Amino acid sequence: MPAKFRRPLLLAVGALLATAVAVPVGSAWAAGPESAAPSAPGSHAEPRIVGGSESSLADHPYAVYLTDENGSQFCGAVIVSPSAVATAAHCAKALPASSVRVVAGRQDKRTDDGVELAVARVWVDPDYTDPTKGADVAVLTVRGRLPYRAAKLADKTAYRDGAQATVLGWGRLSEGGQRSDVLRSVDVPLVSDSGCKTAYDSYDASSMVCAGYPEGGKDACQGDSGGPLVIGDTLIGIVSFGDGCAKAGKPGVYTRVSTYASDIEAQSQPRLLG
């Protein structure tokens, strides 16, 4: 069965978002928008934090989320500079930039904490076509300033089989389950490239990295797409896709940040704004 992307929560809005972007969900997922609406047809993404616990922005101030103009959260993102966040390309393409807001400093979505900033500019990796083919990375430049610490970008030395990493998000607590109102996190080990290739025929070690337990039980899910996978404060992955959520033998797949670090850094500079 082909891998499905963890679609954005907004894509759950069904017909409304179906025309915006097809983010795989279901048995496989690609992180992306997920609002209260049903999932978009043909989408396979179901990003969320499964098997984790509430986390604190005091420990992870770079974790942010994306909403539509009505305030519905659909994806995650991560601060990479005072003026920009990185996210998944399939999240960036889910809605027009004018409809997207970046919410930072808000651990509980039911509060008014932190800041909400509009998006001034969107960069999507030119090689992106869909999550299972890699290059699932984008940078959103905000209108204003993000007054929180940015994550560091990984280099090639950050990836060691079995290393414990942390994935963060506000997505669903189980496949098709309840959405979280608060930031959650779960620790998952990095999986070898050979193990990822066994799980997903489309796995590309140059652009992707996998994380998860052989028995499943802990993973990202719907609504977590675009969010960070970190070791300490170093961003090593961006939630991209997977087969279901927390399934045995199906680790989550993340964009390999080290491959795109120079592009992310270049696109994060305020001078690029026209």
Side-chain angles (χ1 to χ4, degrees):
M1 173 181 291
K4 297 178 181 180
F5 314 122
R6 300 188 178 187
R7 85 183 59 178
L9 289 178
L10 286 177
L11 289 182
V13 182
L16 288 177
L17 295 176
T19 57
V21 62
V23 184
V25 184
S27 54
W29 56 268
E34 178 186 34
S35 66
S39 310
S43 173
H44 315 292
E46 294 195 28
R48 65 206 165 201
I49 300 299
V50 179
S53 58
E54 183 172 355
S55 191
S56 171
L57 282 179
D59 297 325
H60 307 285
Y62 41 76
V64 304
Y65 62 87
L66 307 181
T67 73
D68 64 12
E69 55 194 353
N70 296 315
S72 295
Q73 184 256 337
F74 66 93
C75 272
V78 54
I79 297 174
V80 291
S81 84
S83 60
V85 301
T87 188
H90 73 261
C91 289
K93 293 175 73 68
L95 292 175
S98 60
S99 297
V100 177
R101 303 291 182 270
V102 175
V103 181
R106 186 172 300 171
Q107 183 169 318
D108 188 328
K109 293 189 292 186
R110 296 166 294 187
T111 72
D112 295 323
D113 294 342
V115 298
E116 296 183 24
L117 300 177
V119 173
R121 181 177 180 276
V122 176
W123 173 84
V124 174
D125 190 286
D127 293 330
Y128 173 77
T129 55
D130 71 64
T132 60
K133 295 181 180 178
D136 191 12
V137 59
V139 175
L140 310 182
T141 301
V142 300
R143 297 187 184 280
R145 183 176 178 84
L146 294 158
Y148 306 102
R149 187 173 78 244
K152 303 171 185 176
L153 301 182
D155 60 24
K156 294 180 180 179
T157 65
Y159 303 87
R160 179 174 54 82
D161 295 352
Q164 285 290 318
T166 302
V167 59
L168 298 139
W170 286 262
R172 295 186 184 274
L173 305 178
S174 62
E175 189 164 350
Q178 180 180 1
R179 299 188 201 101
S180 179
D181 288 319
V182 299
L183 175 65
R184 295 176 66 85
S185 66
V186 67
D187 293 337
V188 285
L190 300 189
V191 178
S192 68
D193 291 332
S194 60
C196 291
K197 187 65 176 178
T198 297
Y200 301 101
D201 290 341
S202 64
Y203 179 78
D204 175 11
S206 68
S207 62
M208 306 171 189
V209 62
C210 286
Y213 290 93
E215 67 276 18
K218 297 183 178 183
D219 195 6
C221 199
Q222 290 170 325
D224 293 325
S225 290
L229 177 72
V230 297
I231 294 180
D233 288 331
T234 299
L235 179 67
I236 66 167
I238 294 171
V239 180
S240 183
F241 73 94
D243 185 346
C245 300
K247 292 172 62 176
K250 294 295 182 179
V253 184
Y254 303 79
T255 301
R256 187 177 290 255
V257 167
S258 63
T259 299
Y260 305 98
S262 60
D263 287 328
I264 293 172
E265 186 172 6
Q267 297 298 330
S268 301
Q269 302 306 311
R271 60 182 174 79
L272 292 178
L273 286 176

